[in-house]
Amino acid sequence: MSKPDSTKRQPVTGTGRFISGVVEGFYGRPWTMEQRTELFKREQKWGLNTYLYAPKDDYKHRMYWRDLYAAEEAEQLMSLISAAKQHDVEFVYAISPGLDITFSNPKEVAALKRKLDQVKEFGCRSFSLLFDDIETEMCPADKQAFSSFAHAQVAITNEVYMHLGEPEVFLFCPTDYCAAFCTPSVTQSSYLNTVGEKLLPGIDVLWTGPKVVSHKISVESIEEVSSVLKRAPVIWDNIHANDYDPQRLFLGPYKDRPTDLIPKLKGVLTNPNCEFYPNFVAIHTLATWCKAPAEGAPRDVEMGDEEQDPCYSPQKALNLALTDWLEEFMSTDQPGGPCHPRLKKESSEEEPMQTDMGESPYIPGAGENPLYTAEPLTLDDLKLLSDLFYLPYEHGTTARAMLQELDWLKNQSQAAAAETDKTAEWCSRAQQFDNMCEAVVQMFNRLSNAPNRSILYDLYNYICDIKSGVGLARAYVKTLGGHSQPSAQLLNDDPEPWGFRGGLSGEFQRMLPGHGNRDLFRHPPMTAVYCIRPYCPEDKPEVERIFREMQKAGEGHSALMAQSPLISDSLSAGEISPSPLCGLILEDDLGLCGYALALTDAKPAAAKIQRAVSGSVFEEFPSVIALEMLPRVTDPSPAKRMIGQLLSSIRSSGSRGAFCELRQSNRRMLDFYSKLGSFKLVQTDGLPQDILVMATSL
């Protein structure tokens, strides 16, 4: 085809009706027909006007795009299109033939026209052709017919557009739908330039911004792509999309898009979370943004807003959305949402259950458990929920504060172990962190008892996950502060399944060298790096400090004096030096954090505490081991390595075996030695009741 005169085709800014609304374009289970109808009601109420039907896993939209809809499917689509019209929402039917279409085959083009003609008969008047997320290599037949992939797509799009009678709304999604995909750049992309020059002017182009999920979209970036496309784009915004990460949900406001964009665009469609009900915030705040006066009188905007947009405050938009969402949470008449059992109203036409007849409400008697009463959900709960599940590139204020506090408490843990000038501050901040964790637990409890169960079920996996993660962090801080015994889970290679999270995907990620590099809170080290080195006399004070700290953490200050001494205590306390080549030190980025010491002949240490031990024990296991790790060492691998090296040195000295004494209350170390497999419990006379012996032959 001949190249048209591009000088006659000037860039078009946003003219006509501004397209605003929702695209159902994610990968995963599509929304139900009832949910889509509910969406239309919300769009009408909030002032949005468009719905783009493009669920990736509707197989007749994408994989089997040639197949016509069966009678039942057709009836559903007709009802949906009718419902959209009833609520003044433009229903845009999208089809995605790019996986396997042969552009040069007339039969393929005819099949595409036939499919769209069928949908047109359903009452649909707006359409979209999507060529996103497909291979860019053309088949041999197409290579003979078209000079480039862009030419092939544009040719078929123009033909279909003309066949349908040049619909007022016709959207085209290019394969290079964001700046990151353009080679070598947006302005120099031969693909985009072909689209801009050849695509008929009545067809609008979808664009996601600088990236697939764009952190920010600037006016300058839109002006750049508009000059290439020769038209203002429609933004397909993935800022709230979560189909790429099943552990993330986005409940933050629509933001980082200045309202100055509005006159530069043909429209904005949000492609939100896969879960329908949590999208209340995403869609509500988009509607607020779309109504912001781009060139009108400035609104009252807080100075704290990062964008400093005179017309739109993300925080105010979020508060407004959450306030409205709270009402929906407390509603018991949502479509598909069963009532809370205690809040359900009996219909006068319903016959009450037999168990309800003539029974008065149960009232607990004296000394009995009181009835459980669910506290009502609050606006603060929803603000916290939004903070914990904010946006792809940032956590909310409370989430950031929790991460910062945990990082500080971990790095300053020495202040909790011994009196320093930071001890009071550490204790105060630890309490603040605990209060924040408790707020998450209470939020979970109130959400779990909210009347609208449909919203809860969409949120449940996410809030369970964050509650569990916060619980692990909370227990860790309490252990650092000496308020609880170190958990066996913290030094255990066989923990309960909730102690290791993420499944196979998590394991793959943790094995990669860059794991954690893109954490939104980037200050803490991504992975702990440990150093094992030989013990030297200068280590004696730090070893004793760890020994005393773990004594206090395990038994409490008041019980220390009543403890029966262990044979290895004199070794840990520095009263006896370890045997040659039988001392190892563990260090991390904060300093010394563990040790493994041994005496090849334990008899002098036993005599020091006047411990009567059976001669057969010393004959079979003549050596004693002392091992200790600070609670911040949660990986058992360094301890295993030290024990392995230590036993090797003991064996080289000629010893037949080694033992360790443990207090029954020290579940952490008991669990560690048990999991090693080589250490077994040894029965011996004369031991205090609270002490166990575990030993291994060499």
Side-chain angles (χ1 to χ4, degrees), residues 74 96 193 247 272 286 330 340 374 435 444 476 488 519 523 536 539 565 570 581 587 646 677 695:
S96 185
N193 274 285
Q247 288 187 302
L286 171 65
M330 305 312 292
H340 190 288
N435 292 342
F444 173 87
Y476 175 65
D519 283 352
H523 176 66
C536 60
D539 295 319
S570 57
L581 304 178
E587 292 179 316
L646 200 60

Side-chain angles (χ1 to χ4, degrees), residues 551-571:
Q551 269 191 320
K552 294 177 183 177
E555 298 295 336
H557 297 267
S558 60
L560 285 177
M561 299 303 295
Q563 286 182 357
S564 301
L566 304 179
I567 293 176
S568 60
D569 282 355
S570 57
L571 190 59

Side-chain angles (χ1 to χ4, degrees), residues 134-397:
I134 59 173
E135 294 295 328
T136 58
E137 183 69 22
M138 288 193 294
C139 65
D142 286 344
K143 286 181 179 179
Q144 289 184 349
F146 300 102
S147 58
S148 72
F149 200 40
H151 283 89
Q153 292 179 358
V154 167
I156 199 171
T157 301
N158 286 343
E159 186 173 344
V160 169
Y161 172 68
M162 297 294 290
H163 172 79
L164 293 171
E166 302 185 22
E168 184 177 347
V169 177
F170 193 94
L171 307 176
F172 167 80
C173 183
T175 304
D176 293 355
Y177 55 79
C178 66
F181 290 176
C182 296
T183 305
S185 65
V186 170
T187 55
Q188 295 178 293
S189 165
S190 60
Y191 176 92
L192 275 195
N193 274 285
T194 299
V195 170
E197 293 170 359
K198 302 293 186 181
L199 196 66
L200 291 173
I203 301 173
D204 291 310
V205 179
L206 293 162
W207 183 252
T208 65
K211 299 165 61 178
V212 177
V213 181
S214 294
H215 184 183
K216 298 180 180 182
I217 302 178
S218 67
V219 171
E220 293 75 20
S221 70
I222 294 303
E223 289 176 338
E224 179 183 53
V225 73
S226 296
S227 69
V228 177
L229 295 176
K230 296 178 170 48
R231 70 203 76 203
V234 175
I235 296 296
W236 171 312
D237 208 326
N238 289 317
I239 191 63
H240 286 97
N242 72 335
D243 55 356
Y244 54 85
D245 190 340
Q247 288 187 302
R248 302 183 74 185
L249 185 73
F250 300 115
L251 305 177
Y254 192 74
K255 69 189 296 281
D256 294 314
R257 287 97 171 103
T259 53
D260 289 344
L261 282 172
I262 293 175
K264 306 284 185 179
L265 297 171
K266 185 61 185 291
V268 177
L269 298 171
T270 181
N271 179 39
N273 299 283
C274 299
E275 297 80 5
F276 175 76
Y277 291 102
N279 286 320
F280 193 99
V281 173
I283 301 170
H284 194 293
T285 56
L286 171 65
T288 303
W289 182 87
C290 289
K291 289 181 286 190
E295 298 176 348
R299 293 184 178 177
D300 178 23
V301 178
E302 301 96 327
M303 291 304 293
D305 281 339
E306 295 176 8
E307 294 86 349
Q308 296 295 303
D309 191 323
C311 300
Y312 174 75
S313 162
Q315 191 56 50
K316 282 189 174 181
L318 176 62
N319 289 341
L320 181 63
L322 294 177
T323 300
D324 288 351
W325 201 22
L326 181 61
E327 292 185 13
E328 185 167 301
F329 262 103
M330 305 312 292
S331 170
T332 60
D333 59 355
Q334 290 299 308
C339 299
H340 190 288
R342 290 193 181 180
L343 297 173
K344 185 174 182 180
K345 297 179 180 179
E346 287 186 3
S347 167
S348 58
E349 299 177 359
E350 290 182 355
E351 184 175 340
M353 294 177 63
Q354 189 69 28
T355 54
D356 291 340
M357 295 181 65
E359 291 188 4
S360 58
Y362 171 73
I363 300 175
E368 296 182 340
N369 281 327
L371 284 177
Y372 175 79
T373 303
E375 294 184 5
L377 190 67
T378 68
L379 182 58
D380 284 339
D381 290 325
L382 294 189
K383 288 179 179 179
L384 176 57
L385 179 67
S386 174
D387 268 1
L388 299 178
F389 299 95
Y390 201 63
L391 289 171
Y393 295 98
E394 63 179 305
H395 296 304
T397 303

